[in-house]
């Protein structure tokens, strides 16, 4: 019974420090997750950003040998940009996904977990625990599902009845033996909205994600974005929220419990043209504090170029041509060439022809050809 009391004390403390939801689970191996991950690996659905081996991700005892329980926490984040500046002709804007608004959530959750660890250490000296957020060995979602935080939706997000899927997750593996909570029942039922709304068909067999098709993953890659996904990118600079936005459980869910998660409009919905030539220092100052900058400047700039092409933003063409002429990065030069062709102003053709004479990089040459081809097709 002592541990039931301890559980109550931990729950009370978690509320005190602003944890929106907490759940407890056994630290037994995640057997079904293991076979799911193995299938994903066989099918080539993984993103390559996963940490550790499948065994490490599904066996808590490999991280903490005497582990008995997992404590899973959830913090709800805002979903609405109230009074955000409009994206208009000449001043088009891109968008960072909701999970990257405000201070990098890894820091916020780690602070909460640290406080929880200290509380537990005071109560039960000598207990061991290992905390993690996102980049840890364990799957945050599997831990949250088992601990009754939410069910695993067909959109692969953990859906809480209280806050929808707009929650950040973190967990602690501990040697404490705490009575577990009961997992929630899957409440997706016959709904299939997320699967139908996904722009790239990345949600396969409900509850499986092909990361290589997922825009959220693709926005984070550093190479050329495969052409079939460029149109689908829209104005997304980082991440994709479509399968969350369409989820009926998320309707009206917009939690503002944590001031540090409040978005700065100019950061999360920035003007696109100034991004094209932003210096490393400016980028770090402006975007460094948000999680969406973790892959650095290049993918964001590449995505900004694609977003400008999506809007057919004619004012951007001189800047794009500057990039095509002088940027040392082939991905940026090539994507700029493609965008110049796509936007199709009266200067586009001569810009691309000059680049064709000058350009030595094979991949950039291919993009110049694609740009010229678009221009020629437009003439027909
Ligand atoms: Fe599809 Fe976007 Fe969801 Fe990825 S994040 S599964 S691309 S809707
Ligand atoms: Fe489940 Fe429907 Fe939400 Fe998809 S949109 S996660 S199927 S409730």
């Amino acid at each position: 019974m002592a541990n039931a009391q301890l559980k109550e004390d931990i729950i009370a403390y978690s509320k005190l420090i602003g944890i929106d939801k907490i759940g407890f689970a056994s630290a037994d191996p995640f057997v079904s997750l293991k076979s799911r991950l193995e299938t994903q690996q066989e099918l080539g659905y993984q993103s390559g950003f996963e940490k550790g081996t499948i065994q490490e991700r599904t066996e808590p005892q490999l991280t903490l040998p005497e582990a008995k329980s997992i404590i899973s926490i959830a913090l709800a984040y805002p979903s609405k940009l109230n009074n955000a500046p409009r994206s208009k002709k000449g001043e088009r804007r891109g968008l960072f996904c909701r999970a990257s608004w405000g201070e990098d959530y890894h820091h916020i959750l780690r602070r909460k977990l640290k406080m929880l660890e200290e509380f537990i250490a005071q109560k039960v000296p000598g207990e061991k625990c290992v905390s993690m957020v996102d980049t840890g060995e364990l799957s945050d979602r599997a831990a949250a599902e088992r601990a009754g935080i939410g069910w695993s939706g067909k959109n692969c997000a953990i859906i809480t009845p209280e806050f929808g899927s707009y929650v950040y997750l973190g967990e602690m593996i501990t040697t404490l033996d705490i009575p577990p909570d009961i997992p929630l029942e899957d409440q997706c039922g016959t709904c299939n909205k997320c699967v139908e709304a996904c722009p790239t068909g990345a949600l396969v067999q409900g509850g499986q994600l092909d990361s290589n098709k997922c825009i959220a993953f693709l926005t984070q890659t550093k190479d050329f974005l495969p052409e079939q996904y460029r149109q689908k990118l829209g104005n997304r600079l980082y991440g994709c929220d479509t399968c969350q936005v369409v989820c009926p459980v998320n309707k009206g869910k917009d939690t503002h419990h944590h001031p540090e998660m409040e978005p700065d409009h100019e950061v999360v919905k920035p003007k696109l043209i100034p991004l094209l030539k932003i210096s490393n220092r400016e980028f770090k100052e402006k975007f460094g504090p948000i999680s969406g900058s973790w892959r650095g400047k290049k993918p964001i700039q590449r995505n900004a170029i694609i977003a400008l092409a999506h809007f057919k933003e004619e004012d951007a063409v001189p800047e794009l041509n500057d990039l095509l002429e002088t940027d040392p990065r082939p991905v940026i030069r090539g994507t700029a060439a493609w965008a110049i062709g796509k936007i199709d102003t009266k200067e586009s053709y001569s810009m691309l022809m000059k680049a064709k004479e000058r350009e030595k990089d094979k991949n950039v040459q291919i993009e110049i050809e694609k740009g010229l081809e678009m221009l020629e097709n437009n003439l027909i």
Side-chain angles (χ1 to χ4, degrees), residues 14-248:
S14 75
K15 289 197 170 42
L16 210 66
I17 61 170
I19 290 173
D20 293 312
K21 194 165 184 185
I22 190 163
F24 301 80
S26 85
D28 294 343
F30 290 84
V31 180
S32 63
L33 173 68
K34 192 172 180 196
S35 66
R36 212 163 64 227
L37 291 177
E38 280 164 353
T39 312
Q40 276 194 312
Q41 199 170 48
E42 278 161 29
L43 293 168
Y45 285 175
Q46 295 194 315
S47 67
F49 292 153
E50 298 87 0
K51 187 172 177 210
T53 61
I54 289 183
Q55 210 179 2
E56 281 163 340
R57 276 183 273 150
T58 54
E59 293 184 27
Q61 279 80 10
L62 290 179
T63 304
L64 181 63
E66 307 117 89
K68 292 203 181 66
S69 309
I70 298 171
I71 304 175
S72 171
I73 67 166
L75 265 67
Y77 57 82
S79 72
K80 292 208 164 61
L81 269 187
N82 297 316
N83 306 317
R86 283 173 62 88
S87 176
K88 53 185 184 219
K89 196 166 159 33
E91 268 190 14
R92 294 295 184 188
R93 290 173 183 267
L95 199 59
F96 282 78
C97 72
R98 289 159 174 77
S100 71
W101 293 357
E103 184 188 352
D104 185 336
Y105 69 94
H106 298 86
H107 303 315
I108 303 174
L109 268 89
R110 276 189 204 122
R111 285 202 293 271
K112 302 285 184 200
L113 286 163
K114 182 103 179 69
M115 289 165 91
L116 214 52
E117 278 181 14
E118 285 166 2
F119 177 79
I120 292 170
Q122 264 182 5
K123 287 259 165 200
V124 196
E127 285 300 330
K128 288 185 217 134
C129 38
V130 178
S131 295
M132 53 195 76
V133 180
D134 181 34
T135 52
E137 282 77 6
L138 220 56
S139 156
D140 298 328
R141 291 175 190 171
E145 188 181 7
R146 184 185 279 177
I149 295 282
W151 77 92
S152 183
K154 287 181 194 167
N155 60 4
C156 298
I158 290 296
I159 307 183
T160 70
E162 302 88 343
F163 313 106
S165 58
Y166 298 132
V167 285
Y168 297 125
L169 303 169
E171 63 277 334
M172 180 191 297
I173 307 175
T174 163
T175 52
L176 289 173
D177 194 359
I178 310 176
D181 289 314
I182 300 166
L184 295 184
E185 249 179 58
D186 183 331
Q187 292 168 43
C188 284
T190 54
C191 176
N192 204 36
K193 286 195 165 150
C194 52
V195 178
E196 285 154 16
C198 174
T200 57
L203 293 169
V204 278
Q205 308 157 24
Q208 283 256 56
L209 176 76
D210 182 349
S211 298
N212 298 305
K213 282 188 184 170
C214 174
I215 292 175
F217 162 73
L218 290 166
T219 58
Q220 301 173 54
T221 57
K222 292 188 173 178
D223 211 337
F224 284 101
L225 191 72
E227 205 178 350
Q228 72 265 35
Y229 298 121
R230 293 184 194 169
Q231 191 59 33
K232 313 259 184 202
L233 198 77
N235 71 335
R236 298 175 183 91
L237 293 174
Y238 179 86
C240 167
D241 283 327
T242 301
C243 57
Q244 297 204 83
V245 170
V246 299
C247 179

Side-chain angles (χ1 to χ4, degrees), residues 273-284 286-287 297 301:
I273 293 179
L275 272 176
L276 301 181
K277 289 192 185 158
I278 192 168
S279 70
N280 288 341
R281 197 174 147 187
E282 275 174 290
F283 182 82
K284 212 166 160 205
K286 188 167 179 182
F287 300 101
K297 189 171 87 161
Q301 287 184 310

